[in-house]
Amino acid sequence: MKKKLVKKVLCSLLLLLPSAGVLAEDKVLNVYNWSDYIAKSTIPGFEKQTGVKVKYDVYDSDDTLQAKMMTGRAGYDIVVPTSNFMAKQIEAGIYQKLDKSKIPNLANLDKALMAKIQDADPGNAHGVPWAYGTDGLGYNFTKVKAILGKDTPLDSWDILFDPKYVSKLKGCGVSVLDQANDVFAVTLHHLGKDPNSKNPADYQAAFELLKKIRPYITQFNSSGYINDLANGDICLALGWSGDVNIAKHRAAEAKRTYQLGYVIPKSGAPIWFDVMVIPKDAPHVDAALKWINYIENPEVNAAITDEVFYPTANAAARKFVKPEIANDPSIYPPESVMKTLFLLKPLPSDIMRLQNRLWTQLKTGR
């Protein structure tokens, strides 16, 4: 009788206890983000504040991320697609809606900038911007001016797309992003066409122009070009704004004698947003929400901008950004330049397949 009584009491007590799954807190976070895109202090600060250990992997193109996410069960808790790719991925159902009640620092976000990505994420239901930037031309001004002449206007896409200019720069190195979507958008814009065109004939026209300059492109690269520019191995890059500014900073630290810089061509250029999202099958959702909220702390956010030279949608962070960065028009474009920028938008699947096929042909020469 005693044994039966003890057994009943124990069973009753066990029923009153929460399950082990409820008791256990997430102590691991798996992040998949772009390369060269985080401050040295970001991860240690999060780990210290939350006790959550971060596993941090990197990629250098949206195609790489998309391929991994579309396979399912990637095992990541946070990934950071560009907004136009994110839109198609949301349609495919691979990201979950955010529990905004657990992200109070969303109050720090710039409403106007958040509105810009609502086409990709209606109601900003799934994502929070990590950073934004532009596509433009990265220069070794010293080398380029010596070759083309000091009076050649460098604020024009002609430097890349006109063979009379780019052919002269092959000897000092010409790098183009290995990102079909960005390059076709820039090329279409230069041809006076819609950079987000859905007309296959427009992409064929862009391909024909790219073929004309293909002999002068010495590499297609979306990450290593940073060090190549910093070390003087290339003199012209179609690149991302923050990357070129990282190269400029590294060259200055190494006391290089040449001058590097980033230029947004006066006719306009793409603007894009990289956005934190949580995959549908994320194993550590609570830790992911803590990460997003932590990143949107203004001082944490500003430290990232100070190190990677990309602005963010966190309006409250800007006052904590170093003045020389906050006031740099190549990082925070003034309103007059913002008016010339165009947002990269989601494209139909058939156009994306066409882009990728033409891109492969361009790179391989087949």
Side-chain angles (χ1 to χ4, degrees), residues 2-14:
K2 273 188 179 181
K3 285 183 181 178
K4 285 184 180 178
L5 182 61
V6 169
K7 192 173 181 181
K8 283 183 181 179
V9 171
L10 286 172
C11 287
S12 300
L13 287 171
L14 285 170

Side-chain angles (χ1 to χ4, degrees), residues 125-168:
H126 298 82
V128 177
W130 176 272
Y132 70 91
T134 59
D135 292 10
L137 297 173
Y139 285 107
N140 183 318
F141 286 125
T142 307
K143 290 186 178 183
V144 169
K145 288 180 180 180
I147 295 169
L148 299 182
K150 64 179 183 179
D151 295 326
T152 302
L154 300 182
D155 59 349
S156 169
W157 287 114
D158 285 342
I159 302 297
L160 177 64
F161 290 114
D162 191 333
K164 78 177 181 183
Y165 294 121
V166 72
S167 63
K168 296 176 183 177

